[in-house]
């Protein structure tokens, strides 16, 4: 009923997942599926927003036309964990990294 978008893992993703503490791996998988099905756009608790170059800067983009996004794995938690991913033209999602909000993720 809700097909998954095509996806790939960026070169930093698995290392960042291995280094991630403070959130269960199954929670990360749940959020990845929410991104791939598009559910993330209708879930206020995920706090989906463009990844910006600065506080008021434009959304980060890459040479291939990919646009960077960030969503919450946790909310109202010290050092809340986040997911950064790229939406690539053609519908492919590339998962970039997971990490702590305070570290710039």
């Amino acid at each position: 009923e809700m097909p998954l978008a095509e996806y790939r893992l960026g070169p930093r993703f698995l290392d960042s997942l291995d280094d991630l503490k403070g959130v269960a791996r199954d929670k990360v998988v749940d959020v990845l599926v929410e991104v791939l099905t598009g559910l993330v756009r209708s879930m206020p608790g995920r706090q989906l927003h463009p990844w910006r170059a600065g506080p008021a800067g434009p959304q980060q983009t890459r040479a291939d036309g990919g646009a960077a996004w960030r969503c919450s794995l946790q909310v109202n938690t010290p050092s809340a964990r986040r997911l950064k991913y790229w939406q690539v033209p053609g519908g492919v999602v590339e998962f970039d990294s997971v990490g702590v909000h305070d570290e710039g993720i």
Side-chain angles (χ1 to χ4, degrees):
E1 188 175 312
M2 298 185 77
L4 298 178
E6 185 178 339
Y7 70 95
R8 61 184 175 231
L9 304 179
R12 302 178 324 146
F13 184 77
L14 291 177
D15 287 339
S16 72
L17 185 59
D18 284 342
D19 293 341
L20 186 66
K21 308 287 187 255
V23 65
R25 190 158 295 200
D26 60 340
K27 174 67 168 198
V28 175
V29 172
D30 287 346
V31 176
L32 298 180
V33 171
E34 291 166 3
V35 168
L36 294 174
T37 59
L39 280 173
V40 70
R41 291 188 296 271
S42 64
M43 301 179 75
R46 291 289 167 246
Q47 301 175 333
L48 178 67
H49 61 280
W51 177 265
R52 300 187 184 282
Q59 184 174 23
Q60 271 190 355
T61 57
R62 306 189 303 197
D64 67 358
W69 292 88
R70 181 174 88 168
C71 69
S72 298
L73 298 171
Q74 300 172 309
V75 293
N76 299 324
T77 302
S79 298
R81 280 58 175 186
R82 304 288 190 250
L83 164 68
K84 179 181 176 186
Y85 68 93
W86 296 89
Q87 184 68 58
V88 181
V92 175
V93 173
E94 181 181 312
F95 294 112
D96 182 89
S97 57
V98 290
V100 178
H101 176 268
D102 300 338
E103 295 174 354
I105 298 292

